[in-house]
Amino acid sequence: MEESDKIEIRVIGRMGNDPLSPENFDIREIKSLFDVVETLLYPNQKNSRAPITYSLESGSVRNIFRTTRQSAAAFIAIVSLVQQSGSLEGLELPTARAFQEIQKSAIRNNFTYEFGTPYNDVPSLTISKETTYHINENLWADAEFYFYGVLVNAGGKDKTNIHLQTKDNGLLTIATEKEFLQGLEENVLYKHFMVRAVGRQNILSGELDTSSLQLLELSTFDPTYNEKYLDNLIKKASPKWADIVDADKWVSEIRGING
């Protein structure tokens, strides 16, 4: 069994006229911390993550989380990096959003959050109403994407979406209209599809905001390699290239690229 370690998020503030304590720390705030810690520890593998256990202790409010030693060390490394840089830039989007939620809570509730370990009195990161940890929205722009994968789920009571299992991007949740799913005449589950979607992308890193995806088009495709089909396409196209001496140069000119 992998060795475990502890991380701590201490919350300092007041609830009404009383200092914050385990007796008056609302479960809504505890739930928010659960979501934040899970995202910080396992931003891209929540379905296969190691167990995270929790205890609530006095000292304003000390939220103690126990998980694997490796994940705890990575947690401290990330919060220390944020403290040193004073910015959320360069973080994966789920991680940056988790810190931004803490920043919003600090401003909304006049709380101070101290990230660290139970073994060290000096926090690795402090977020309060005086700090400014926000995502730079100017770095994100709308873009169009093509995804290929197996459709493993579709529907939803309030928010309608499809779930596409892809090789390069994992499981994607893509919002769609209820009327679109109602209009499908055949079972689409566990079949291969090409999905055209619109969403947001970081203009510097190229990172995809997977929470922003909206379906534009859904069409079936065959993922198997068909050598005969490819050969036929080459034969059909070859006569059109017969008079072109330098194919690479011709393509560059068509694309407007100067050699």
Side-chain angles (χ1 to χ4, degrees):
M1 183 176 180
E2 189 172 353
E3 292 186 13
S4 64
D5 209 343
K6 295 179 181 179
I7 61 174
E8 176 181 340
I9 301 179
R10 186 184 181 198
V11 188
I12 305 166
R14 303 187 72 84
M15 188 62 68
N17 295 323
D18 301 319
L20 206 58
S21 70
E23 285 71 34
N24 60 20
F25 193 50
D26 192 82
I27 61 171
R28 184 185 295 110
E29 304 301 331
I30 296 175
K31 179 181 181 300
S32 297
L33 278 179
F34 287 171
D35 295 337
V36 165
V37 168
E38 184 181 33
T39 299
L40 293 180
L41 288 173
Y42 304 99
N44 299 312
Q45 47 183 323
K46 292 183 180 180
N47 293 331
S48 59
R49 65 167 175 76
I52 305 171
T53 59
Y54 171 77
S55 63
L56 184 64
E57 301 179 9
S58 298
S60 292
V61 178
R62 299 177 62 221
N63 299 270
I64 310 297
F65 299 87
R66 180 185 289 273
T67 186
T68 65
R69 178 167 293 181
Q70 180 180 359
S71 297
F75 173 90
I76 295 301
I78 290 174
V79 298
S80 299
L81 177 64
V82 172
Q83 178 80 358
Q84 292 168 11
S85 66
S87 168
L88 301 182
E89 291 185 22
L91 299 179
E92 291 185 339
L93 187 57
T95 302
R97 278 196 173 134
F99 282 121
Q100 182 170 260
E101 286 306 308
I102 291 293
Q103 180 66 77
K104 290 179 180 178
S105 175
I107 295 173
R108 181 175 63 248
N109 299 307
N110 195 18
F111 288 167
T112 296
Y113 291 86
E114 295 182 345
F115 294 75
T117 71
Y119 324 114
N120 193 342
D121 293 333
V122 179
S124 300
L125 169 66
T126 300
I127 297 180
S128 70
K129 67 176 184 179
E130 307 299 332
T131 57
T132 56
Y133 291 108
H134 297 287
I135 297 172
N136 186 351
E137 296 294 339
N138 292 330
L139 295 178
W140 295 86
D142 291 334
E144 191 172 298
F145 306 94
Y146 288 85
F147 303 110
Y148 298 86
V150 177
L151 199 153
V152 297
N153 197 5
K157 181 180 178 181
D158 299 318
K159 295 182 179 180
T160 310
N161 52 54
I162 62 172
H163 293 177
L164 189 74
Q165 185 65 53
T166 69
K167 180 179 179 181
D168 296 329
N169 297 281
L171 183 64
L172 295 176
T173 299
I174 304 172
T176 185
E177 299 293 333
K178 185 180 298 183
E179 292 75 16
F180 173 80
L181 294 181
Q182 288 176 335
L184 296 176
E185 298 180 355
E186 61 180 35
N187 179 25
V188 295
L189 294 183
Y190 307 112
K191 295 181 180 179
H192 291 270
F193 285 94
M194 183 281 292
V195 168
R196 185 166 68 94
V198 66
R200 297 201 309 161
Q201 187 174 31
N202 190 294
I203 61 176
L204 294 182
S205 68
E207 182 183 1
L208 168 65
D209 178 0
T210 56
S211 68
S212 68
L213 294 175
Q214 298 276 340
L215 180 68
L216 296 177
E217 180 184 353
L218 180 71
S219 59
T220 58
F221 85 102
D222 185 355
T224 59
Y225 173 68
N226 191 324
E227 185 174 359
K228 185 177 180 181
Y229 175 71
L230 181 60
D231 288 341
N232 287 333
L233 290 179
I234 293 173
K235 288 179 181 179
K236 289 181 180 179
S238 294
K240 298 180 181 179
W241 291 75
D243 298 331
I244 299 175
V245 178
D246 189 336
D248 291 335
K249 181 180 179 181
W250 182 82
V251 170
S252 296
E253 290 175 351
I254 292 297
R255 293 176 175 176
I257 302 173
N258 295 322

